[in-house]
Amino acid sequence: MVFFVLSRVTGLTREIILGDRFGTSAAYDAYLAAFRVPDLLFQLVAGGALGSAFLPIFASFWLQTDKREAWLLFSRVLNLVVLVLVGLAALAAIFAEPLVRYGLAPGFGPEQARVTAELMRVMLFGTVVFGASGLVMGALNATQHFLSPAAAPVLYNLAIIAAAYWLGPTMGVYGLALGVVVGSLAHLLVQLPALIRRGVRYTPALSMTDPAVRQVAKLMGPRILGLFFVQMQFIVNTILASGLNAGSLSALNYAMLLMLLPQGVIAQAVATVAFPTFSAQAAAGQFDLLRRTFERTLRMVFFLVAPATLGLLVLRRPTISILFEHGAFDTASMILVAYGLQFYLVGLIAHSLLEIVVRGFYALQNTWIPVTVGIAAMSGNIALSFLFVGRLSFGGLALANSVATTAETVLLIWLISQRMGGLQWGSLATSAVRTLIAALVMAAAVWAWGRWVYVNIYHEGQLTMVDDWLTAIGGVLLAALLYGSISWLLRSEELQLLVSAARSRLQRRA
């Protein structure tokens, strides 16, 4: 979790520097649009689809005394992934301009479309490297090694930060594209020492007849379909935002980054560590234990994400101002991002719980249910995007995402309950009510604090940076104190678990 925090902090720092250099500009819109196709290829071939399918199969081989079969599977899948990505990246590079002009960003002018295509060609190199790195990450997680895979995104972010800082002033967004490629190499290289220590044995072999490879492909199939619809949602957002005012796509990106910050630090970190445990318990037939572990994980994520959601909603303007409002990122940009963020925050809790629920299905080696529900949700997301964008501009795209994700999460929790023999709904509801009471009281107090600062301390008709810092820091401290105190008064089991875990860790270190 420490490295997930560092990853999000460096990711946030990356966006702060990008905001300073490019703000909500047409050039940054082009960079974001160019990233869509490389990201699509990675996600479909080597991203979440491969990781969720490869990890359980590799883990079953790893539990055996002889590790040669595990590394043979790793080698065969790695070779296939790299070959497929090289071929697809080459095709995308050849047809980059028509992809941009007639598909990805039809609202861009000729010059902006040309820049987008050129940036795409550069970033496609990084897609191939990320394919190999993603598989290495899955292998290391399957062997219960999390440090290097968690550190890899930090180095990726640092590479883009360096590119923005040193290359941005002279090369503009082209420097960012180079940073993506260098960052992908760093992402891979930092994991190789841990892979070597695990005794990796690489074999230059290809096989589609190997039963294990075929099982990985079988599990990938539905997940690829689901991820395709997820990526289609991002592409539709890019298409629709390209026809709005310049900077709309940039503002939407900043808003989503801020929404995903607590989701990544809390939910993704917990889900990454919990997934191998879910898989091991399912493989051992310990379904009662799996259900208890799953319920406790859901409750803990909700306990941590609910106050983060309401706190960020109340403090969104001073937070955005402190983080981004300098250089090319002005007050107008801040207002745009705050507008989009409020709609994204509607779905933050659902996004976070979804990380846990989906991994519960994968541990049960059931990929069709989350994929089928995900396809329906993303189809609804796309339909709602067209419906809302005319009324709410790019804020409608964020709201469509939140509504669809919430519906998806609720349905999947109900469905996995059926597969696990029924969840303890009473304890889950009691925990949720306690958490919401504490979070709502906390949010009301933080809102009152912000109003008091605005009424009593603001200077000459406008808030200064000092006022923003006072509102944000005072609000965070007040939120932590109130949320912890109210949770303690309500005898929150999640708070007790956190405290006992911290004490246990400290005692072991002592």
Side-chain angles (χ1 to χ4, degrees):
M1 185 174 283
V2 169
F3 271 97
F4 267 92
V5 172
L6 287 175
S7 173
R8 294 301 173 177
V9 168
T10 53
L12 183 60
T13 304
R14 178 194 70 201
E15 295 301 321
I16 290 171
I17 293 177
L18 294 180
D20 181 77
R21 289 281 187 261
F22 305 103
T24 51
S25 64
Y28 193 49
D29 283 354
Y31 167 79
L32 294 172
F35 198 78
R36 290 270 62 88
V37 170
D39 189 51
L40 171 66
L41 296 182
F42 168 72
Q43 292 294 339
L44 294 185
V45 177
L50 178 61
S52 58
F54 172 77
L55 191 151
I57 308 302
F58 182 86
S60 66
F61 282 112
W62 185 258
L63 293 175
Q64 301 174 9
T65 303
D66 191 347
K67 311 296 184 187
R68 284 180 294 182
E69 288 297 321
W71 292 123
L72 182 59
L73 172 65
F74 170 81
S75 299
R76 286 173 170 170
V77 175
L78 175 65
N79 296 333
L80 283 170
V81 165
V82 171
L83 283 177
V84 171
L85 281 176
V86 167
L88 293 175
L91 285 174
I94 292 170
F95 297 104
E97 292 196 14
L99 278 174
V100 173
R101 290 181 182 274
Y102 304 112
L104 189 63
F108 285 176
E111 178 62 18
Q112 193 177 14
R114 181 189 64 79
V115 171
T116 303
E118 292 175 351
L119 293 171
M120 183 194 302
R121 292 189 179 104
V122 174
M123 287 190 282
L124 283 167
F125 287 100
T127 299
V128 178
V129 180
F130 265 128
S133 187
L135 191 69
V136 171
M137 182 178 289
L140 290 175
N141 284 342
T143 63
Q144 297 289 322
H145 176 85
F146 302 103
L147 186 62
S148 298
V154 176
L155 294 183
Y156 171 70
N157 288 330
L158 290 175
I160 298 179
I161 289 170
Y165 189 80
W166 282 296
L167 300 180
T170 56
M171 298 181 63
V173 288
Y174 291 97
L176 299 184
L178 290 176
V180 168
V181 176
V182 174
S184 68
L185 288 170
H187 192 280
L188 172 63
L189 294 176
V190 73
Q191 298 183 81
L192 293 184
L195 192 68
I196 293 170
R197 288 194 297 271
R198 285 291 190 274
V200 62
R201 302 173 187 175
Y202 173 73
T203 304
L206 288 172
S207 175
M208 283 302 297
T209 59
D210 181 350
V213 174
R214 294 173 70 89
Q215 181 66 8
V216 171
K218 179 181 177 181
L219 291 175
M220 281 183 67
R223 179 64 172 148
I224 288 176
L225 187 61
L227 282 173
F228 173 77
F229 277 84
V230 172
Q231 292 297 311
M232 280 301 299
Q233 170 228 320
F234 291 123
I235 290 174
V236 167
N237 282 356
T238 302
I239 293 170
L240 293 175
S242 72
L244 301 174
N245 294 332
S248 295
L249 186 57
S250 300
L252 198 64
N253 176 73
Y254 290 120
M256 176 169 255
L257 169 84
L258 288 170
M259 183 273 289
L260 291 177
L261 184 62
Q263 186 252 13
V265 169
I266 300 168
Q268 284 188 3
V270 172
T272 299
V273 176
F275 184 32
T277 303
F278 289 168
S279 298
Q281 291 171 346
Q286 300 171 326
F287 295 107
D288 287 340
L289 182 58
L290 172 61
R291 182 173 61 250
R292 290 197 299 271
T293 306
F294 178 78
E295 289 175 352
R296 178 173 291 185
T297 306
L298 277 183
R299 289 164 54 182
M300 187 60 69
V301 168
F302 189 86
F303 177 77
L304 294 172
V305 172
T309 300
L310 293 176
L312 187 54
L313 178 65
V314 174
L315 297 173
R316 66 187 184 279
R317 286 206 171 195
T319 300
I320 296 167
S321 180
I322 290 169
L323 293 175
F324 296 110
E325 198 172 338
H326 44 74
F329 196 106
D330 55 16
T331 301
S333 296
M334 182 273 291
I335 293 172
L336 288 175
V337 175
Y339 176 71
L341 178 59
Q342 63 185 340
F343 294 110
Y344 270 133
L345 288 174
V346 172
L348 174 53
I349 293 175
H351 274 285
S352 300
L353 295 180
L354 188 63
E355 293 287 333
I356 309 301
V357 178
V358 168
R359 282 167 174 80
F361 276 106
Y362 294 158
L364 295 170
Q365 296 196 23
N366 186 325
T367 55
W368 276 112
I369 288 179
V371 164
T372 302
V373 174
I375 289 172
M378 290 306 104
S379 300
N381 189 341
I382 292 171
L384 291 173
S385 295
F386 282 97
L387 177 65
F388 292 161
V389 71
R391 296 173 171 83
L392 301 171
S393 185
F394 65 89
L397 305 179
L399 181 59
N401 178 275
S402 294
V403 172
T405 303
T406 300
E408 177 185 8
T409 302
V410 170
L411 180 56
L412 283 177
I413 289 176
W414 180 77
L415 289 172
I416 202 170
S417 172
Q418 310 304 305
R419 269 65 188 172
M420 289 187 173
L423 300 178
Q424 299 296 317
W425 294 109
S427 62
L428 288 173
T430 301
S431 172
V433 169
R434 287 195 188 109
T435 295
L436 287 174
I437 290 172
L440 287 170
V441 173
M442 175 211 77
V446 173
W447 177 84
W449 163 256
R451 290 297 303 171
W452 183 85
V453 171
Y454 180 80
V455 171
N456 294 280
I457 304 182
Y458 93 125
H459 304 285
E460 298 179 0
Q462 73 179 61
L463 289 169
T464 66
M465 186 60 72
V466 173
D467 299 325
D468 288 329
W469 277 100
L470 180 62
T471 303
I473 293 177
V476 169
L477 293 175
L478 179 62
L481 178 63
L482 271 178
Y483 188 68
S485 300
I486 297 170
S487 297
W488 179 77
L489 290 172
L490 294 174
R491 297 182 179 180
S492 167
E493 294 180 19
E494 290 70 37
L495 180 62
Q496 294 171 16
L497 284 171
L498 285 175
V499 172
S500 63
R503 286 175 178 170
S504 176
R505 180 62 59 87
L506 290 173
Q507 288 173 356
R508 285 199 301 267
R509 290 183 176 178

